[in-house]
Amino acid sequence: MKKKYLLDTNVLLRHILNDHKILSPQASKYFHQAETNQAILQITDLSLAELIWVLKSAYHQPLNKIYD
């Protein structure tokens, strides 16, 4: 049976931004497990909305880059 992970916004940010020496590689491990069919990742609508808001407001990313 595959592992299931419910990812929060912080995990998503660390993976996308790759900006933390320790936390970013740990966050990326979840995505590697999903890519190799070892895990299922779940993201809530709220976490996705918060991710977009944080990338836009705190990291000043343009919306077209966020959506890509």
Side-chain angles (χ1 to χ4, degrees):
M1 188 165 153
K2 294 180 191 177
K3 297 178 184 178
K4 289 185 181 181
Y5 297 106
L6 178 60
L7 303 184
D8 72 357
T9 306
N10 292 313
V11 173
L12 299 172
L13 283 169
R14 298 295 67 87
H15 173 70
I16 291 169
L17 297 173
N18 194 26
D19 62 349
H20 193 279
K21 182 179 178 181
I22 297 171
L23 298 179
S24 292
Q26 289 177 349
S28 294
K29 286 180 185 178
Y30 294 111
F31 290 88
H32 177 71
Q33 288 180 19
E35 288 173 353
T36 58
N37 210 24
Q38 298 173 9
I40 296 171
L41 306 182
Q42 297 177 320
I43 303 168
T44 66
D45 294 344
L46 182 59
S47 289
L48 187 57
E50 185 179 26
L51 173 67
I52 294 167
W53 182 79
V54 170
L55 286 172
K56 187 173 185 308
S57 63
Y59 291 95
H60 308 291
Q61 298 293 315
L63 283 177
N64 61 338
K65 184 176 179 183
I66 293 170
Y67 294 142
D68 285 343

